[in-house]
Amino acid sequence: MAVRTVRNDDEQVSLALKLTRRGADLLRAELAELIEEGRPAANRRLHAAFASGDGDGGAEASDAAWALDRVERRIARLESQLRTAVIVDAADLDEDVIAVGHRVDVRRAGGIERSYVLVSPVESDPRAGRLSTDSPLGSALLGRRPGDVVVLPHN
């Protein structure tokens, strides 16, 4: 994933992945696990399939090769995301405009209140209160100001 910028009404908009520190740490931990455990395990499985005589295109060798390829693609994606990511520090954010890294308190029409931290899609976990900026609510909150009323369509 390359960092790109586009022109939008004489304003440059960065398309870099914005991560919170916690999100970057989670991606680093996943990358380390894949490099230290996932890749070696997939390699062992592939070598075992070939050693057992199934290396001539049999199902086990094919599955093992596919699993190794999947691990390698995920490693490459994580490395790219971490290399180009912009780490957002909540202390440096403008308090007047909601952005990635902000904690927002949301009260639904029925009175149910919930608190979320707005995060990039790669670190989203709504059950843990980490709301993706690509979600309908997350995207509606971006750029708003504290106290704004946001109306989402019901589907």
Side-chain angles (χ1 to χ4, degrees):
M1 165 188 198
V3 177
R4 301 178 299 157
T5 57
V6 293
R7 274 199 116 36
N8 183 7
D9 296 327
D10 296 326
E11 177 182 322
Q12 285 197 346
V13 178
S14 175
L15 298 180
L17 178 63
K18 292 181 180 178
L19 294 174
T20 62
R21 289 200 186 286
R22 178 173 184 249
D25 290 344
L26 290 172
L27 293 185
R28 284 187 199 101
E30 181 184 354
L31 178 61
E33 190 277 328
L34 286 172
I35 290 172
E36 295 168 9
E37 297 174 27
R39 179 189 277 158
N43 271 319
R44 282 192 301 274
R45 181 176 169 208
L46 182 60
H47 287 285
F50 277 99
S52 70
D54 193 25
D56 59 350
E60 180 59 28
S62 179
D63 287 347
W66 181 85
L68 178 59
D69 181 60
R70 195 174 100 196
V71 168
E72 293 295 342
R73 283 184 284 125
R74 182 64 181 157
I75 287 170
R77 182 179 194 111
L78 288 169
E79 287 174 338
S80 176
Q81 288 174 331
L82 287 167
R83 184 175 43 257
T84 61
V86 173
I87 307 300
V88 176
D89 190 347
D92 297 334
L93 295 174
D94 178 356
E95 294 181 15
D96 294 330
V97 179
I98 298 171
V100 170
H102 273 130
R103 175 169 299 282
V104 293
D105 296 318
V106 177
R107 184 174 52 238
R108 297 181 184 230
I112 299 171
E113 291 189 31
R114 183 85 197 255
S115 182
Y116 297 102
V117 175
L118 284 181
V119 297
S120 71
V122 300
E123 59 180 306
S124 173
D125 185 357
R127 290 182 181 163
R130 300 181 66 75
L131 185 66
S132 170
T133 56
D134 282 358
S135 70
L137 178 58
S139 64
L141 291 170
L142 280 177
R144 298 295 186 122
R145 297 190 178 283
D148 281 357
V149 174
V150 176
V151 179
L152 297 177
H154 295 301
N155 290 337

